[in-house]
Amino acid sequence: MNGRDLVRSVKMVGSVRGLRTVCFSWRRRNADARALPRRGAERARVPGLVVGAEPGPGGGVVRFARSELRVRVAVGGAVFWGWDGAEPLPSYALAGAGPEPDPRAELEPDKDGGWQVVSERLTVAVSRHGAVELRTPGGVVLRRELPPRWWEPVAGDAARWVQRSEVPADARFFGLGGRASGPRLRDGVYRLWNTDPGGSFGPGDDPLYLTMPVQLVVSDAGTHLVFHDNSWSGRVTLREGEEGAGSGHDRPGMCEVRMDGGPLRCWVMAGTPARVLQSWTALTGAPALPPSWALGPQHARWGFGSEQEVRRVVAGYRERGLPLSVLHLDIDHYDTHRVFTVDRERFPDLPGLAKELREDGVRLASIVDPAVKAEPGNAVFDSGRAVGGDGAFVRDARGRVVRGEVWPGECVYPDFTDPQVREWWGGLYEERLAQGFSGVWHDMNEPVSFAAFGEPTLPRSARHCLEGRGGDHREAHNVYGLAMARAGYEGLRRLRPEERPFLFSRSGWAGMQRYGGTWSGDVETSWPGLRASLALVLGLGLCGVPYSGPDVGGFGGSPSPELYLRWFQLGAYLPLFRTHAAIDAGRREPWEFGPRVLEHARAALEERERLRPYFVTLAQLARLTGAPYVRPLWWGAPGERALRECEDAFLLGDALLVAPVLERGADRRAVRLPRGRWYDTATGEVYEGPGQVLLDAPLSRVPVLARAGSVLPVRGADGGVELEVWAPAAGRSGGGLVVRDAGDGWERAEVERYTSRLVDGTVVVEREGEEGPVNGPVRVRGL
């Protein structure tokens, strides 16, 4: 802990607490110094030359002089390889037991003494020195993994390793979890260590709360996803390639993954972006389906303070005719910030308040932090000490419970990698449901202590169950938030099995989508912060987490009316649409920024509500196919290089292109169009892509274009669902998928498929599998 961190801690929590954090920081460092061996001298190792091979299910094992490599092609086309005996399991990322090996894939000799496994979508070629080359069925190289290198401490401990890779010169990198500088990841170093930046963050801050060793690489040769299944601390260095001019040579792109320990194992899947994400979610689990009310507008503030203030805010929405679906209570509603409690003075009848709001169409969601106040008499602390043989809380290498300083004061941390602890913690949500809450959001779960901004909260030597295997915090840190989300989600399912849980979490890891979504965290209130908000949502969607969104308006500081409105307009087209602010950052209600902002915010809210059936469809399709709601412009045409460079617009599903305003004072903006015909939904103007157009972006709206031929469900004037059809071009056809809202339970979704075509100047819309006119209202636009 350096001097700057100490000053920041003192400012945040006061001098007494701030000074106490110093003790926790020194205690943490001393614990690691005692328990973790010094690395000292190390032996470097490479695989060496190939000495033999043994076929096996879906591939086989290639043996080298100093290592061995297992290659396995799974049913569905995903490829796994692991060095030094690494297997797909155990893994926090995989859903269940993982896919079965493909019996058609066999290990066979390759040229120059190497070996290869040929599958339907990829050929995996292993050189005699240990390089691994991934080729398309046509023989084009997507990626080349150079022989890895390990450094093994002579005195014993985990071996660190490095894996360098080459990709085509034109390739672009995306992913790695939530990155404020994205969505395209330019040359630089990206750390793999979930971190609270200790204040509001902007595009230059890295790492943030949710990191993943998941890369999506897009090039002319094709699209592929690479996942290094290792939860240890690490860093990824990326360098984009450069194509040679004239007769010059191409310089390939480079990726270097360095991990401080853990297995060297990897999954790769290739194909179109849609197929890659479908394979990824088949491997790591389908995204949890949020209740339909969680797709509406939401409002939060740290500092509501009382039932009266909550009612005042909700009444403000209702009096002005503004829709509101969810209201979130932050830590200030707890009794002295202790989790699973209520301040009875400020909230004397929370269940009654929740019932009153629910009858008015507004649900309550509660913040839940993992830190438990270490105080005898605190029901959560006392019940946690009785879990299992040693209690629920993380201990250090000497068996003492680890403590830190968080909002309630001196706190302890549940070990969510222990199944018994997850079951105990999930049962605690019964108190939240009894208070009338309909959903939860997990915060501070990297985890955080005020002594440790940018550092591990728990000692790296702290012991964790890790599903019975045992290990330390170096392996458990990055999956802590993921395991907490699992505990909460499974607990809510047990307690209220007839309803789908609503849960989103600030921290997580690969596979996070199984339990819910995430949000941006404490993004700074600035125009760069607005741009970072879009980058985070796009990047997380490409890592398999489709439900996310920012703190609209930024978390800290007071946005100008223009900045707030532009953020609000962006948020209206993102999956999680939530305003939120710090306790000292002013209000975020639309009417607080003047009548002009209120008028334009009302239009954004009304459009969000009109599109609610479309968001319901996108949520269902994300669960079925893994496709994110919010997609980069290159999603349907990854081979178009100009689209790979575009980071300031996005596709909402297949039908809409949204071009938010991300710069101060802009009332026009350039928009890059994918191939095809596009309609400006506000003016009806027609544009042909590919190409770039200049569109009006007055303060009242942002440019939104509809793809010709699209069929999408919207809310009609009577409140029911109607089909909005944008006229296809002459000689072309279109269509769309529709999934209707079947309630907030577990009813099986029915996917309706529609086609549209232009016949003698008339748009004909048909539902596949049915004859005759479409049942229900249809509105044609664009003729």
Side-chain angles (χ1 to χ4, degrees):
M1 183 178 189
N2 58 32
R4 182 180 302 170
D5 289 336
L6 173 58
V7 171
R8 184 164 52 189
S9 296
V10 172
K11 285 182 177 179
M12 285 192 67
V13 299
S15 60
V16 174
R17 284 189 179 178
L19 293 174
R20 193 161 60 199
T21 62
V22 178
C23 298
F24 290 129
S25 181
W26 282 111
R27 190 181 301 167
R28 185 181 68 249
R29 292 194 175 192
N30 289 338
D32 285 345
R34 286 192 303 267
L36 294 179
R38 296 181 180 275
R39 294 205 67 89
E42 296 178 312
R43 298 188 185 94
R45 174 169 63 91
V46 295
L49 289 175
V50 68
V51 295
E54 179 182 336
V61 176
V62 182
R63 292 190 172 86
F64 298 86
R66 290 177 290 278
S67 188
E68 67 177 33
L69 172 68
R70 179 179 301 278
V71 179
R72 181 180 300 163
V73 177
V75 172
V79 175
F80 169 84
W81 69 76
W83 288 93
D84 289 346
E87 295 277 0
L89 297 176
S91 170
Y92 276 96
L94 269 60
E100 294 292 323
D102 186 344
R104 299 171 299 176
E106 296 181 355
L107 184 68
E108 57 188 40
D110 194 16
K111 59 185 179 181
D112 299 328
W115 295 82
Q116 70 174 8
V117 180
V118 180
S119 69
E120 181 182 0
R121 300 181 190 174
L122 280 173
T123 295
V124 185
V126 182
S127 79
R128 62 193 183 100
H129 295 283
V132 179
E133 201 168 81
L134 301 171
R135 306 173 188 149
T136 68
V140 179
V141 176
L142 286 176
R143 188 180 189 94
R144 185 170 189 268
E145 306 276 359
L146 303 178
R149 181 181 294 268
W150 295 265
W151 287 270
E152 299 164 332
V154 173
D157 196 19
R160 57 191 180 95
W161 54 263
V162 61
Q163 174 74 74
R164 295 185 176 92
S165 312
E166 294 178 350
V167 296
D170 66 289
R172 297 292 180 260
F173 298 99
F174 301 86
L176 296 182
R179 303 288 169 171
S181 60
R184 173 183 162 195
L185 303 178
R186 289 170 169 78
D187 295 3
V189 179
Y190 300 88
R191 194 174 172 208
L192 298 170
W193 189 255
N194 293 346
T195 303
D196 178 1
S200 297
F201 68 86
D205 292 304
D206 189 272
L208 297 176
Y209 315 96
L210 203 165
T211 66
M212 294 186 204
V214 179
Q215 306 168 39
L216 192 76
V217 185
V218 184
S219 69
D220 290 352
T223 301
H224 69 277
L225 181 148
V226 176
F227 168 49
H228 290 88
D229 192 352
N230 184 314
S231 63
W232 284 60
S233 172
R235 60 185 184 274
V236 179
T237 303
L238 300 177
R239 187 190 68 192
E240 292 181 345
E242 185 176 337
E243 293 182 296
S247 60
H249 293 290
D250 289 351
R251 176 173 62 82
M254 183 275 290
C255 168
E256 178 185 275
V257 179
R258 287 182 177 268
M259 304 299 290
D260 293 339
L264 203 178
R265 56 183 180 177
C266 185
W267 287 91
V268 179
M269 42 221 71
T272 65
R275 174 171 279 189
V276 166
L277 264 293
Q278 187 169 22
S279 298
W280 172 242
T281 52
L283 180 71
T284 60
L289 186 65
S292 57
W293 48 263
L295 297 171
Q298 308 182 35
H299 186 83
R301 190 170 80 239
W302 176 17
F304 277 126
S306 67
E307 286 188 11
Q308 292 73 22
E309 177 65 6
V310 169
R311 286 192 175 92
R312 187 196 71 81
V313 171
V314 174
Y317 275 88
R318 292 298 179 250
E319 290 166 2
R320 295 166 176 83
L322 303 176
L324 179 66
S325 292
V326 190
L327 189 136
H328 300 251
L329 297 188
D330 211 315
I331 55 173
D332 50 295
H333 86 278
Y334 283 128
D335 180 9
T336 60
H337 296 153
R338 291 178 301 162
V339 69
F340 301 118
T341 64
V342 176
D343 186 329
R344 298 296 179 182
E345 291 187 6
R346 292 182 293 163
F347 292 87
D349 184 16
L350 192 50
L353 174 66
K355 182 175 183 294
E356 173 188 326
L357 295 181
R358 187 163 181 163
E359 290 173 350
D360 197 26
V362 178
R363 311 285 184 124
L364 279 184
S366 169
I367 191 172
V368 173
D369 289 353
V372 175
K373 186 172 178 61
E375 178 182 65
N378 174 10
V380 178
F381 178 68
D382 291 343
S383 65
R385 290 196 292 180
V387 173
D390 297 320
F393 306 116
V394 176
R395 295 176 178 268
D396 64 18
R398 300 170 69 181
R400 300 176 304 178
V401 174
V402 175
R403 301 183 179 230
E405 185 75 16
V406 200
W407 297 116
E410 186 173 334
C411 291
V412 292
Y413 300 85
D415 180 8
F416 296 113
T417 70
D418 185 336
Q420 292 185 87
V421 175
R422 289 198 298 269
E423 184 174 0
W424 160 74
W425 185 264
L428 297 176
Y429 289 75
E430 185 174 11
E431 182 274 340
R432 295 286 87 185
L433 297 179
Q435 297 295 344
F437 288 106
S438 299
V440 296
W441 50 296
H442 289 173
D443 200 0
M444 307 287 282
N445 60 337
E446 290 71 37
V448 170
S449 169
F450 296 140
F453 293 122
E455 301 180 32
T457 290
L458 306 179
R460 293 177 186 265
S461 58
R463 304 301 299 171
H464 288 266
C465 172
L466 290 167
E467 315 308 316
R469 294 181 288 111
D472 59 40
H473 194 63
R474 293 176 296 178
E475 181 179 358
H477 174 86
N478 280 338
V479 297
Y480 189 87
L482 173 73
M484 180 186 178
R486 178 180 178 182
Y489 182 83
E490 292 178 347
L492 290 169
R493 283 204 64 172
R494 289 195 305 269
L495 293 166
R496 193 165 286 175
E498 71 281 0
E499 294 183 13
R500 300 196 300 270
F502 175 48
L503 182 151
F504 60 99
S505 172
R506 191 170 77 172
S507 184
W509 200 62
M512 175 69 213
Q513 73 278 357
R514 297 193 297 266
Y515 313 117
T518 184
W519 92 103
S520 67
D522 301 345
V523 61
E524 69 181 23
T525 300
S526 67
W527 290 93
L530 170 60
R531 186 176 290 271
S533 296
L534 176 57
L536 286 161
V537 175
L538 281 166
L540 287 163
L542 295 175
C543 292
V545 184
Y547 184 82
S548 69
D551 285 345
V552 168
F555 181 69
S558 298
S560 68
E562 181 191 6
L563 175 59
Y564 173 81
L565 179 58
R566 291 309 195 187
W567 218 315
F568 201 87
Q569 290 166 336
L570 168 63
Y573 293 96
L574 300 181
L576 173 59
F577 178 23
R578 184 182 83 146
T579 56
H580 187 219
I583 194 168
D584 57 350
R587 301 185 184 277
R588 291 290 188 269
E589 295 85 1
W591 57 88
E592 297 290 344
F593 295 87
R596 190 180 183 195
V597 169
L598 174 60
E599 175 190 356
H600 300 328
R602 181 194 310 278
L605 284 167
E606 290 174 348
E607 181 64 6
R608 172 62 175 234
E609 287 298 275
R610 194 182 76 88
L611 290 174
R612 182 87 76 91
Y614 187 47
F615 276 93
V616 169
T617 293
L618 294 178
Q620 292 279 4
L621 295 178
R623 178 163 181 80
L624 293 171
T625 69
Y629 311 32
V630 171
R631 309 164 187 178
L633 294 188
W634 48 261
W635 177 262
E640 294 190 22
R641 296 189 179 187
L643 297 180
R644 300 205 294 257
E645 309 298 321
C646 182
E647 302 176 272
D648 60 357
F650 60 91
L651 298 174
L652 182 60
D654 283 332
L656 300 179
L657 188 159
V658 182
V661 175
L662 306 176
E663 297 177 356
R664 178 190 291 111
D667 59 5
R668 303 191 80 193
R669 60 151 296 173
V671 178
R672 175 69 61 178
L673 297 181
R675 191 175 304 276
R677 174 172 293 180
W678 296 86
Y679 297 94
D680 188 316
T681 59
T683 67
E685 290 291 323
V686 180
Y687 302 95
E688 297 289 340
Q692 184 167 282
V693 295
L694 190 63
L695 300 180
D696 289 334
L699 200 60
S700 59
R701 61 179 177 84
V702 296
V704 179
L705 297 101
R707 191 191 301 270
S710 296
V711 179
L712 65 155
V714 298
R715 182 172 293 176
D718 62 353
V721 175
E722 72 175 20
L723 299 183
E724 183 170 271
V725 182
W726 290 89
R732 305 292 298 273
S733 61
L737 304 177
V738 176
V739 184
R740 298 178 189 270
D741 188 357
D744 296 326
W746 302 94
E747 294 82 359
R748 183 178 179 85
E750 180 184 2
V751 180
E752 303 172 8
R753 301 175 182 273
Y754 292 91
T755 60
S756 66
R757 52 197 174 92
L758 195 63
V759 179
D760 298 329
T762 300
V763 175
V764 177
V765 182
E766 298 172 319
R767 180 178 175 182
E768 290 187 7
E770 292 188 1
E771 296 182 1
V774 171
N775 183 24
V778 177
R779 181 187 179 202
V780 175
R781 300 182 65 182
L783 276 180

